[in-house]
Amino acid sequence: MTKDTRHWVKRACSLCEAACGLRIQVDAQHQRITAVEGDPDDSRSLGFTCDRAQAMRSLYHDPARLRRPLRKRADGGWDEITWEEGLSLAVQGLQKVRAAHGRNALGVYVGDAIAYDSGAVVYAPHVTRALDTTHVFTAATMDHFPKLVSSCALYGRSTILPVPDLDRCDYFLCLGSNPLVSQASLMSAPDMRRRIADIRRRDGKVVVVDPRRSETAEVADEHHFIRPGTDALLLAAMVQVIIHEGWVRLGHLDGHVTGLAALGREIAGFTPESVAERTGIAAPTIRRLTLEFATAARACCYGRSGTCTTAFGALTSYLIDVLGILTRHFDQPGSMMFPRPATGELEPGAPLTDANSGRWHSAVRGFPEIDGQLPAAAMAEEIDAAGDGRLRAMLTIAGNPVLTTPDGERLDRALAQLDFMLSVDCYINETSRHADLILPPLTVLETEGLDILAAGAAVRNFARWSPAVVEPDDKGMPQWRILLELAAGLNGRDWREWERELLARQAWRSLSRPGSAATGVSPEQALAQLDESPGPLRMFDLMLRAGPYGDGFDSRKVGLSLTRLRAADAAVDLGPLQPRLLDILRTPDGCVQLAPPALMTALRRLGQRASPVSARYPFQLVGRGRAKDIHGWLRSLPSPKPQRSPRAGGVPQHTLLMHPQDGKRLAVQAGDQVLVRSSAGSLRAAANLCDCMMPGVVSLARGTGYRDPPVQPSHTLAGLAHALVDGQVLDPLSGTAVTHGIAVAVEPVAPEPLPCNPRL
Ligand SMILES: Nc1nc2c(c(=O)[nH]1)N[C@H]1C(S)=C(S)[C@@H](COP(=O)(O)OP(=O)(O)OC[C@H]3O[C@@H](n4cnc5c(=O)[nH]c(N)nc54)[C@H](O)[C@@H]3O)O[C@H]1N2
Ligand SMILES: Nc1nc2c(c(=O)[nH]1)N[C@H]1C(S)=C(S)[C@@H](COP(=O)(O)OP(=O)(O)OC[C@H]3O[C@@H](n4cnc5c(=O)[nH]c(N)nc54)[C@H](O)[C@@H]3O)O[C@H]1N2
Ligand code: SF4
Ligand SMILES: [Mo]
């Protein structure tokens, strides 16, 4: 009888912010992952996983995943090279362009996938800093950047982000998010179906506002269709009613806000009656929802992608918070609250007075930098139209902007013109195929890490360490080390020395923080207690031990350290969220700013807002997430087991959803091919008629649709919903591209065979 070499390892799923607890079965002898399951003992997810969890396994085994550095040959093919060569060529390539054309000839794009590797999160900002360029782009300006801008204006710092205290609220108003499928973002709460059912079970109420009756709307008490892009009008009317009716109750924030009178004046004209037609929600309904929200015992107003990536994204994000602040549904149990991560990233600090925007501008359209970033929508033109000031070398990390930013085809061409391009990516995707050099990291299953992203957005405080599940490929390199070596190399330093210096700087920061658990401990004493091996783990140990729940470098004390988290081998519960806004506010006057000038200007602009639809483009297109993939890229993985039903929540995933009335008007029947056109481009899709759509609004899953004429997909399938996104249309306050509510025309076309990907 052969000995069974399989064993189970517990770790968090790293594929979205929920960070569910997994049990992963490993055949150690053959270095194979044989099963991925939800861990019933995980206190946060209680055994829940979504369809995507299996991708952790497929990703590890995928033969198409890169494992060694690749250098492009003159004929376009690739050669495997050593890590030493790869890293040295990478630094040389970037330095050569900098020496010849100056620092701003270098650019960097950091994508979403970086977020799921905590070690990489530690060193990515150091690479950006080492490039020392004004050309910094990230996926955030296609996503949640409006929230950061709003938080900066209200609370003085972009990282002070409120999270619904979901498990204690009894009224959940959810706008522009479909957490049943996406499992949410800026809210880490595994198993949203259970949590929403729990609100209803405790006699609470769930209200969803969405132009599509989404999977979340299906399980809510109420759903209201809204015209895409008009949430700011709805929320302005709700705030207007609260101020006008004298329902303002600031609670513990009384005396700690400024600008209420100014806001009252600016918002006076936004009555429910004045916004009803534009939003599509009747005035009495708006008044009733406002009354219900204001009088609920514990209420949360939450908005995500559908409220961010619109022309008034920052204003909408700000109004969402203001609604809570004015009704004492803020920073109190059961309302929007602020997590307290164990690594100490959200602790009190001195007021921040320096301007964090407008310090430089993009060369072509003159976009102001915000928090050090330029809009991703400006990337292509900064390469191909900025003359002498143009970008000549790019570094992309964990992203695929050719498919996820506007004008992807132009970016596709522009990247081909660069003098040098480096990608840190585990695939040759539509973007990294242009690189001269690709440096592929180990997968997260081969590395240890901490749930830092999820802890910063958790609906209940927790800390969790995840072990490596399989032995790391001995010829591979963890992502943290790739990034650290790049940062060190660009600074002309040895990477070990540079790591030590970054650690010493962090020691100084963590230990000098007011309220540190390690008061009285010197940086030298702290550093002497850390592990000898360089890397993010000893950085995390330092942050945990000096952090708010830390042992303060005294192992006799009850408190967190990496050793304790490792021993726990599960999420460590750190209790419910606590009121703390007044401690962490960073505004110069120590008050929440209710009437920041830029947002008041946006409010005036909102009053004059013209509808984007016209006779030429009479529909509005919104996106929807697909249960199995993230932005299309997981879809190309081989499936470890036969695909489940192609339906999620009853909605077929590959089609353009439209209301039957609209279908009738266009003489389009279910299954017919249609051409969807916007000012930016066009694509094909099969029509799917459904009364889940608001009339006049159509919906396409992210990363779907086919080129017109259809072409065979390359690696990730032609994920072209972005082909309709116009890079000229941005939320001016945040530089975020408008990906929801795009004005489009829809017309029936003669069918063409659509390419078929056997992996779909
Ligand atoms: N039209 C439209 N555009 C959108 C959106 C939309 O809804 N509609 N959504 C927006 C949103 S919310 C986001 S977050 C962005 C995402 O935009 P991006 O971050 O640019 O895109 P992803 O498709 O997530 O690309 C991730 C890539 O990272 C690589 N990768 C995977 N794992 C790793 C890893 O561990 N390390 C490294 N180095 N690479 C890895 C894979 O090759 C994958 O292609 O797109 C935005 N763009
Ligand atoms: N399966 C899957 N899960 C994912 C991802 C994925 O690609 N696939 N991506 C992950 C990422 S990076 C992110 S950022 C999150 C995003 O997670 P969510 O923010 O939940 O995003 P979506 O699932 O796109 O849901 C957006 C909803 O907003 C609605 N909407 C569109 N326009 C408007 C509008 O103007 N007003 C209102 N009120 N609603 C509007 C859409 O109809 C849609 O139902 O999901 C994460 N989870
Ligand atoms: S919800 Fe997110 S964290 Fe949980 S299993 Fe799915 S992808 Fe992984
Ligand atoms: Mo995102």
Side-chain angles (χ1 to χ4, degrees):
M1 211 172 78
T2 52
K3 198 167 147 254
D4 189 352
T5 54
R6 288 174 301 177
H7 65 281
W8 291 91
V9 186
K10 291 185 176 192
R11 67 155 293 141
C13 173
S14 67
L15 288 172
C16 88
E17 289 173 51
C20 301
L22 301 180
R23 277 160 41 89
I24 302 182
Q25 193 187 47
V26 185
D27 179 344
Q29 195 185 351
H30 303 102
Q31 280 291 300
R32 290 209 71 78
I33 293 165
T34 38
V36 175
E37 292 178 359
D39 175 11
D41 299 329
D42 185 274
S43 60
R44 303 177 67 246
S45 53
L46 308 175
F48 169 84
T49 59
C50 77
D51 280 354
R52 282 167 288 162
Q54 297 305 322
M56 294 286 284
R57 172 182 171 189
S58 330
L59 186 63
Y60 173 67
H61 290 300
D62 188 2
R65 180 171 60 80
L66 305 178
R67 281 140 170 98
R68 307 280 176 268
L70 292 184
R71 180 171 51 183
K72 194 179 276 152
R73 291 193 301 266
D75 68 2
W78 298 92
D79 287 327
E80 265 188 20
I81 52 172
T82 65
W83 280 102
E84 210 178 354
E85 259 183 296
L87 284 158
S88 119
L89 287 172
V91 172
Q92 279 169 29
L94 294 167
Q95 275 173 338
K96 190 170 158 205
V97 173
R98 176 155 69 187
H101 302 285
R103 62 192 181 94
N104 292 330
L106 306 184
V108 57
Y109 173 85
V110 185
D112 187 50
I114 190 88
Y116 307 125
D117 177 348
S118 58
V121 169
V122 171
Y123 297 113
H126 296 294
V127 177
T128 303
R129 235 165 272 147
L131 287 168
D132 189 26
T133 173
T134 53
H135 282 117
V136 176
F137 307 93
T138 73
T141 55
M142 294 300 299
D143 182 359
H144 61 276
F145 213 54
K147 298 275 304 182
L148 307 189
V149 169
S150 152
S151 281
C152 210
L154 281 159
Y155 322 117
R157 194 176 169 203
S158 56
T159 51
I160 303 181
L161 292 164
V163 171
D165 184 10
L166 199 66
D167 298 340
R168 292 188 288 176
C169 78
D170 49 24
Y171 197 95
F172 182 50
L173 176 58
C174 175
L175 306 111
S177 174
N178 184 18
L180 238 65
V181 170
S182 68
Q183 292 301 325
S185 160
L186 300 183
M187 163 162 69
S188 177
D191 198 357
M192 284 298 296
R193 183 182 293 276
R194 162 174 60 90
R195 290 174 200 261
I196 285 179
D198 284 348
I199 299 175
R200 300 186 64 199
R201 207 167 295 128
R202 51 181 189 262
D203 284 335
K205 184 165 181 177
V206 178
V207 178
V208 171
V209 177
D210 196 305
R212 174 169 81 89
R213 195 170 62 245
S214 64
E215 291 77 356
T216 309
E218 293 280 3
V219 300
D221 293 274
E222 265 182 45
H223 164 238
H224 298 279
F225 284 128
I226 187 166
R227 292 249 144 255
T230 65
D231 299 71
L233 286 167
L234 167 70
L235 291 156
M238 293 177 81
V239 170
Q240 186 275 338
V241 170
I242 282 160
I243 297 177
H244 185 80
E245 299 288 343
W247 295 343
V248 174
R249 300 283 179 275
L250 292 168
H252 76 303
L253 298 178
D254 205 355
H256 301 283
V257 304
T258 53
L260 180 55
L263 170 62
R265 282 193 299 278
E266 294 287 352
I267 215 149
F270 292 92
T271 60
E273 290 70 22
S274 74
V275 305
E277 200 184 314
R278 283 177 287 171
T279 56
I281 305 181
T285 307
I286 299 177
R287 289 187 184 279
R288 174 176 61 78
L289 289 175
T290 312
L291 180 67
E292 283 179 10
F293 188 85
T295 54
R298 293 172 302 179
C300 297
C301 178
Y302 167 79
R304 255 318 260 117
S305 332
T307 50
C308 280
T309 54
T310 65
F312 289 92
L315 179 65
T316 312
S317 301
Y318 150 88
L319 287 167
I320 285 171
D321 286 12
V322 168
L323 184 66
I325 293 167
L326 297 187
T327 51
R328 55 151 184 73
H329 292 315
F330 212 74
D331 193 35
Q332 287 293 300
S335 71
M336 299 303 284
M337 298 192 81
F338 299 89
R340 191 170 196 196
T343 38
E345 285 111 319
L346 196 54
E347 291 302 301
L352 295 171
T353 45
D354 291 347
N356 78 329
S357 73
R359 289 162 296 181
W360 58 87
H361 292 78
S362 66
V364 178
R365 275 187 282 169
F367 289 122
E369 139 296 317
I370 300 170
D371 235 6
Q373 292 189 38
L374 293 172
M379 206 157 31
E381 69 198 24
E382 293 295 297
I383 301 173
D384 71 13
D388 285 346
R390 74 180 181 275
L391 261 171
R392 298 167 196 258
M394 275 298 291
L395 162 60
T396 68
I397 307 173
N400 192 4
V402 166
L403 282 196
T404 57
T405 64
D407 238 345
E409 295 196 10
R410 178 171 175 186
L411 183 63
D412 194 36
R413 289 190 300 272
L415 292 175
Q417 298 170 17
L418 290 169
D419 296 349
F420 179 71
M421 179 169 159
L422 166 67
S423 289
V424 177
D425 205 296
C426 45
Y427 284 101
I428 301 178
N429 65 23
E430 290 75 357
T431 301
S432 61
R433 76 186 181 95
H434 291 293
D436 298 286
L437 202 60
I438 306 181
L439 302 178
L442 292 174
T443 60
V444 285
L445 292 185
E446 294 161 278
T447 47
E448 293 180 65
L450 214 61
D451 287 356
I452 42 178
L453 183 81
V459 297
R460 193 177 158 98
N461 289 313
F462 81 103
R464 181 192 185 117
W465 166 83
S466 286
V469 170
V470 283
E471 284 287 315
D473 175 347
D474 57 5
K475 295 202 182 63
M477 194 174 273
Q479 189 152 236
W480 66 261
R481 170 102 176 257
I482 299 174
L483 299 179
L484 180 61
E485 289 213 30
L486 286 176
L490 286 164
N491 281 308
R493 301 283 296 273
D494 168 72
W495 72 271
R496 286 174 191 275
E497 204 184 278
W498 187 235
E499 186 270 350
R500 179 91 195 160
E501 190 167 323
L502 296 178
L503 188 70
R505 283 191 216 163
Q506 183 64 44
W508 182 83
R509 254 196 314 272
S510 293
L511 296 164
S512 60
R513 217 171 252 150
S516 159
T519 324
V521 176
S522 73
E524 294 71 28
Q525 287 166 327
L527 292 173
Q529 288 202 43
L530 298 174
D531 197 89
E532 302 267 291
S533 328
L537 289 174
R538 63 180 186 171
M539 179 83 92
F540 291 142
D541 195 25
L542 163 69
M543 292 161 86
L544 287 167
R545 300 185 78 177
Y549 315 88
D551 72 359
F553 290 94
D554 181 347
S555 50
R556 288 161 310 178
K557 276 200 210 158
V558 183
L560 292 185
S561 62
L562 194 61
T563 312
R564 292 230 163 94
L565 281 191
R566 275 184 173 136
D569 192 27
V572 174
D573 181 51
L574 297 171
L577 305 184
Q578 303 290 335
R580 60 191 307 250
L581 177 59
L582 296 176
D583 297 333
I584 54 177
L585 264 181
R586 302 289 287 270
T587 50
D589 64 359
C591 287
V592 175
Q593 307 294 300
L594 286 180
L599 287 141
M600 295 304 98
T601 309
L603 207 48
R604 273 167 244 148
R605 235 176 358 99
L606 178 69
Q608 287 130 35
R609 173 189 180 275
S611 166
V613 298
S614 59
R616 190 152 178 230
Y617 300 117
F619 291 92
Q620 277 184 286
L621 175 76
V622 295
R624 65 180 192 274
R626 294 161 32 101
K628 283 205 202 75
D629 49 49
I630 300 192
H631 316 125
W633 75 267
L634 290 185
R635 160 181 4 156
S636 55
L637 295 176
S639 179
K641 54 181 178 186
Q643 294 276 344
R644 295 207 204 145
S645 149
R647 291 167 165 259
V651 180
Q653 297 286 295
H654 299 282
T655 53
L656 183 81
L657 289 172
M658 64 166 78
H659 193 276
Q661 271 172 23
D662 290 328
K664 201 166 166 196
R665 208 150 44 93
L666 296 170
V668 165
Q669 302 200 343
D672 285 356
Q673 268 181 39
V674 288
L675 190 68
V676 188
R677 275 188 299 112
S678 74
S679 54
S682 63
L683 55 80
R684 273 174 188 254
N688 179 12
L689 307 181
C690 179
D691 69 1
C692 59
M693 290 310 302
M694 187 177 197
V697 184
V698 291
S699 161
L700 199 57
R702 285 176 206 226
T704 56
Y706 298 89
R707 276 172 211 264
D708 180 54
V711 290
Q712 199 58 36
S714 54
H715 173 63
T716 57
L717 192 103
L720 286 176
H722 75 292
L724 301 173
V725 178
D726 188 337
Q728 306 292 319
V729 190
L730 306 183
D731 167 20
L733 273 190
S734 67
T736 304
V738 175
T739 57
H740 282 290
I742 306 165
V744 293
V746 180
E747 63 209 45
V749 280
E752 296 247 14
L754 295 178
C756 153
N757 183 333
R759 284 177 167 189
L760 267 174

